[in-house]
Structures are given as structure tokens and as C-alpha cells.
Amino acid sequence: MSFEGVKIGFVFTGSFCTFSKVIPKMKLLVKSGAKVIPIMSFNSYNLDTKFGKAKDFIEKIENITGNSIIHSITDAEPIGPKNMTDIMIIAPCSGNTMAKLSYDIIDTPATMAAKSHLRNNRPLVIAPSTNNGLSGNAENIGRLLNRKNYYFVPFRQDNPITKPRSIVFDEEYIIKTLEHAINNEQISPILI
């Protein structure tokens, strides 16, 4: 599928270990003609981690998309009213962000972007990456799976031996999930 002219909100939250898997998919979307609007949570925009420096990720993302990153609640709020996005993906979507969306807590640029986007009845794709996906966050995932306009990138246990409750999305399904979600379909299977 071509994403020519499709406006995609691409949200990063704090599962930093997956940034290197996600950024190449964002690049493919841009190459396929999508207009990608980058958005980052407070932590993903500001924190340096063992996986890289925030400024390096910011520079790379802005260079790929040709757009400045939305990184404040104030700048994320107009996304819906201004019809800035046709579809939105949160990749990675941390357990913290999934919990907040599940309970309608809107206190970060990521959650405000999602709320603002959803007001237009358009698809929101979640790429879960969390150490508590099969424990405390399982309930939140269940809630989101049952909400209109929420779609999930297929996911699996991250490392069943050393992190038995951890889940992570499969980056190879990001584009396929977007293709299905834009037609209001959940790709399946969700659990891989």
C-alpha cells in the first residue's frame, strides 16, 4: 500500500530500547509518501539513556520527517481540531502510556496527541513495549483492545526466561498494522 498523502502522527514514548527498531519504519513511511508528524512524550524527548542521547534521536527523527517534533501538551492539543492526522501510531507505547490512555489520563504530549486525534474518530495504533504487560498492565491492554478506533501491532513475550511478564511489539508488523487500521481492521493474530 502507498501512504501517499496520508498524514501519520508518530508518537514515541519511553521504551527507549525499541527506538532503533522503530525509526527505520518511520523512514519507510516517509519514503512511501506519508506526511509523518513526530510527537514525543516528555521522557522520550528529554532523557538520555544507555540506548542513546535524546538530542541524537530528535535530530534523526526531524531529519527523516522534515518536521519539528511536537513535545508539549500545548502543541499536541490542536492535532484533532486542525485535522493534522489521518492515523496515529504510538511506537513504542510504554506501559505507563497504555495505563494513562486506559484511564483517560491526559498529562503528557503523547496522551494529549492520542486524545486529540481520537476526537476525529480515526484509528490509533498501539505498539506495546512494557515489562509489565502480562501482569499489572494486562488489564489496561484488555480495556484498550475493546475500545473503538484502537488497534494493536502484534506483540509477544519479550524474554520469557528473564522477563516473564514483559511484552514487545514486532516491528515487522508496524506498516502492515497501519495498512489494516486505516481501513478500520485489526491485523491478526495480535499475539505472535
Side-chain angles (χ1 to χ4, degrees), residues 33-168:
K35 177 184 178 190
V36 175
I37 299 159
I39 303 147
M40 294 180 92
S41 68
F42 292 131
N43 287 341
S44 64
Y45 191 80
N46 290 300
L47 295 180
D48 294 336
T49 72
K50 65 182 179 181
F51 300 104
K53 295 190 178 295
K55 69 177 182 61
D56 295 336
F57 286 122
I58 291 165
E59 183 179 326
K60 184 179 267 190
I61 291 165
E62 289 183 341
N63 284 339
I64 289 168
T65 64
N67 292 307
S68 296
I69 294 171
I70 294 172
H71 60 94
S72 72
I73 292 172
T74 306
D75 289 340
E77 189 173 15
I79 288 171
K82 291 186 176 180
N83 288 308
M84 293 170 63
T85 51
D86 299 314
I87 189 168
M88 182 173 286
I89 182 167
I90 305 177
C93 189
S94 66
N96 185 50
T97 298
M98 283 188 286
K100 288 180 179 197
L101 290 172
S102 171
Y103 284 98
D104 204 29
I105 298 170
I106 310 303
D107 64 352
T108 72
T111 55
M112 176 56 78
K115 175 189 176 195
S116 188
H117 167 79
L118 285 167
R119 74 181 282 173
N120 293 326
N121 209 27
R122 294 183 179 151
L124 175 64
V125 174
I126 304 291
S129 182
T130 178
N131 286 329
N132 71 346
L134 297 177
S135 58
N137 229 311
E139 182 179 353
N140 299 319
I141 292 168
R143 269 196 209 96
L144 296 176
L145 280 168
N146 283 296
R147 290 208 183 140
K148 184 177 181 185
N149 296 319
Y150 277 83
Y151 303 90
F152 275 73
V153 175
F155 56 92
R156 59 175 164 69
Q157 279 185 287
D158 184 8
N159 182 336
I161 305 304
T162 61
K163 301 191 309 184
R165 291 165 206 66
S166 183
I167 62 170
V168 65

Side-chain angles (χ1 to χ4, degrees), residues 18-30:
T18 62
F19 282 21
S20 63
K21 297 176 180 180
V22 170
I23 291 172
K25 302 305 177 190
M26 174 190 283
K27 192 173 189 174
L28 287 174
L29 290 168
V30 170

Side-chain angles (χ1 to χ4, degrees), residues 173-188:
Y173 285 91
I174 286 176
I175 293 175
K176 291 176 191 174
T177 304
L178 287 167
E179 289 172 347
H180 280 77
I182 206 152
N183 292 310
N184 299 308
E185 300 169 353
Q186 172 63 58
I187 194 170
S188 62

